[in-house]
Amino acid sequence: MEVTITTENFESYKNGDLPLVVDLWATWCGPCRMVGPIISELAKEYDGKLVVGKCDVEENDEIAADFGVRNIPTILFFKNGELVDKFVGAANKATIEEKFKALL
């Protein structure tokens, strides 16, 4: 399942029953536009196993600041409400999917 992560709903998703993957991105970011479709595809493939969220850092900069995100795209991986992994930069589907698998 792919959801939109905002400052208002972040905590509820982070502390939900399923692991959470958060793609921090911005509309002006070229590498984000490359990674975005991969994240959306993986969200469909892992539906029911984890929640995948997209967080626009221009609209929700508090989330990026709270986790020390200085570069985008950054993908944050949460399990049981805790940050367990972080990936910065663009990558191919296989590389990102390994991170998804490790979260399960």
Side-chain angles (χ1 to χ4, degrees):
M1 169 171 67
E2 186 174 273
V3 298
T4 299
I5 299 291
T6 64
T7 304
E8 291 77 28
N9 69 15
F10 172 66
E11 286 296 323
S12 64
Y13 281 117
K14 183 180 81 148
N15 296 310
D17 294 334
L18 295 175
L20 173 66
V21 177
V22 180
D23 176 19
L24 296 158
W25 67 284
T27 55
W28 48 262
C29 169
C32 298
R33 289 194 299 269
M34 292 169 43
V35 170
I38 295 169
I39 298 295
S40 296
E41 189 176 326
L42 288 168
K44 290 176 188 160
E45 292 175 21
Y46 285 81
D47 188 30
K49 297 177 183 167
L50 47 80
V51 175
V52 177
K54 301 263 198 172
C55 180
D56 185 335
V57 296
E58 292 289 307
E59 296 174 7
N60 303 282
D61 58 345
E62 301 91 0
I63 295 171
D66 287 348
F67 292 96
V69 173
R70 297 186 182 276
N71 299 301
I72 53 174
T74 292
I75 306 169
L76 304 176
F77 298 86
F78 296 91
K79 191 168 193 172
N80 300 320
E82 298 293 322
L83 180 66
V84 295
D85 201 0
K86 179 195 266 190
F87 186 86
V88 180
N92 62 25
K93 182 179 177 183
T95 301
I96 296 171
E97 187 168 17
E98 285 301 313
K99 298 283 189 179
F100 274 61
K101 288 178 183 175
L103 193 59
L104 297 177

